[in-house]
Amino acid sequence: MPNQVSTIDARLTDAQNLYRTGRLAEAESVLLSVLAEDHADLSARVLMGVIHAKTGRRKTAASYFESVLADMPDQFDSMVWLAKLKLETKAFAEALALSERAIKAQPKSAAAHNTLGLCLLSMRRSDDAMQAFEHARALEPNTAATYHNLGLALRLRDDAYEACRAFSRALALEPRHEANYLELFRQQQIISAWPDAIRTMEVGMQTLPRSVAIAEALGLAYVRVGQKEKAEKTFKKVWDMQPGVCQSYAIFLQEEGRFDESVDLLKKSLTIQPVQGTAYYCLAEAKAFELDGESIIKKAEPLEKNPKLNLSGRMYLDYALGKAYDREREYEAAMRHFDRANEAAFEMFNAGRRLDPAVSRRNTEYIAQMYSAENLSELGEHGSEDEAPIFIVGMIRSGTTLLDQILSSHSQVGSAGEQSYWKLEGGRVSHRWNREGIDPSDMPSLASNYLKVLRSVVGEWPRVIDKMPLNYEHLGLIHSCFPKAKILHIRRNAVDTCLSIYMTHFGGGPSFAYKQENIASYYREYLRQMEHWRAVLPEQSLLELDYEHLVADRESVVRRILKFCGLEWDPACLEHQENERTVSTPSRWQARQPIYKTSIDRWRRYEPWLGALLDLRDVAHPPAREFGSSIQ
């Protein structure tokens, strides 16, 4: 018996050494021989569970850990690993209980506190998660995973710059971990720090030259700073590294108006990887609803139940099928797929993000108090004299991209696209003012830094558009910093707008997306905020126009807009579809088409299935201001 035990111990040591050097298959083989002799060996079962977990065999891994815990309820490694596996299957309560047990077993384990934090983060309890990660950091100050997880929690709290610093620290501690590069890039993307993002991903490519994800991110960063040749070269490299991976490349081509090339690329992708949702989604975005003379419905719909398609793939497929059925005028089927797509997108991006109408209402009231007409007049005395910025605001999907495309066709106007500056920098200043009182000394740097952002994106133009729709939330601070800037508010039928939001994929974008009740609630709050701005902003600063009027009487409305902005007439504004600038919003196809009227009252086709959105059908915008209405 002693010889048998010593032999097993020796083989366990061999297995552990093989595991540490990454030779998992060999380690597993040795462990199987150990368990053949002693199926109850605890160390062998734990290590087998870890190997199965690391190689994606989650169900078997869980069974190993559960068997260990049945024999030894406080076995630490099994509790931590099983908690992680439960997280992956969204069994949050079980994961939380296991991680709390692990902390009781080893209260000074940073790994246990990290696992607890991940459980809380998955449940969207960001403050509690922060405490867990901070506890882990106090125990082990130089663990990359802790800073990585801390960054995720800070992002959930919209603490953008602190999140950036946390991810940077994680990357410095573990520069060969792909996820550290990707999360830092994502955070730099959120704050529009594109030069920093490029440097991050270029280092990432040098360090991990075979990473497809890093290469794709680098290509995207090049796009956003206008380095199109570098972007395309990088996207082609991605294809060479992993043929069939082309979503970012296809969307880049569409943003550049090269739709035929995009469709050809997507067809090649489907030949290589027939079971995917992203290619069908991109085809639908390019309005390419047929393949080889056959509707994409017949090709895509059979894939819905394919086990190879994950939640993300099914989401993209349902968006594609929704758009395809809409084209076929089969509106009930289209809505069924849009409902499924939104369910998946909500689960992936917004589940647990609580939207409280009462909190939104209080926020609107606080904005109204801070930016009263009297305060705006006083703050304007500290603002910039620069007249370059033109702000296009309104609800998402209300026509902001079309208006941007029209106005940026003017020879004196450049477009910076959608900038997050006022959400991040402006929001930070407004929150501090709310706590400590208004401080006009913040405004000069706020204005000058914003102008630097615009110039870094578009270069030197007499006028520059920022078409971030949700900047309507920050119009008080924007007007205070730039009292001579022009603000264009475009409005559209409420139900048409919200239905379009529901039919659009935004990734991890607006917190109100993907659920009809949230969209309708957010829309009503938007109306309240705009009611305040309409009352307090000077007539020469804010022009309101209706999408339906723009479509019906384009030249008259465009002349009115140009006059309001102090711009000479330019007939190019009537040929916006010829504008060759990059269009990096979901409206990239529509923005390159001549004016069309088919989007007006579109909601009526879907009326039987609109649910909460139908509550907005009686919402009417107040009459638009009359500034310049007689301009010919």
Side-chain angles (χ1 to χ4, degrees), residues 486 539 543 549 553-569 625-632:
K486 301 300 182 182
E539 182 182 87
L543 176 68
H549 188 194
D553 191 7
R554 177 180 43 162
E555 183 171 344
S556 173
V557 174
V558 171
R559 285 184 179 276
R560 184 181 175 201
I561 292 168
L562 295 182
K563 184 72 174 180
F564 172 76
C565 293
L567 293 165
E568 298 293 328
W569 171 249
R625 287 185 171 188
E626 292 302 312
F627 180 94
S629 59
S630 62
I631 294 170
Q632 299 297 320

Side-chain angles (χ1 to χ4, degrees), residues 463-509:
R463 310 296 294 278
V464 182
I465 299 168
D466 182 343
K467 66 138 299 212
M468 174 62 77
L470 301 186
N471 271 341
Y472 75 80
E473 297 177 341
H474 308 285
L475 287 183
L477 188 57
I478 287 171
H479 174 70
S480 299
C481 289
F482 293 100
K484 294 186 177 180
K486 301 300 182 182
I487 301 165
L488 302 174
H489 173 216
I490 186 165
R491 316 173 313 177
R492 183 183 175 195
N493 174 277
V495 189
D496 276 340
T497 301
C498 292
L499 177 61
S500 185
I501 292 171
Y502 193 66
M503 292 179 169
T504 302
H505 175 58
F506 299 101

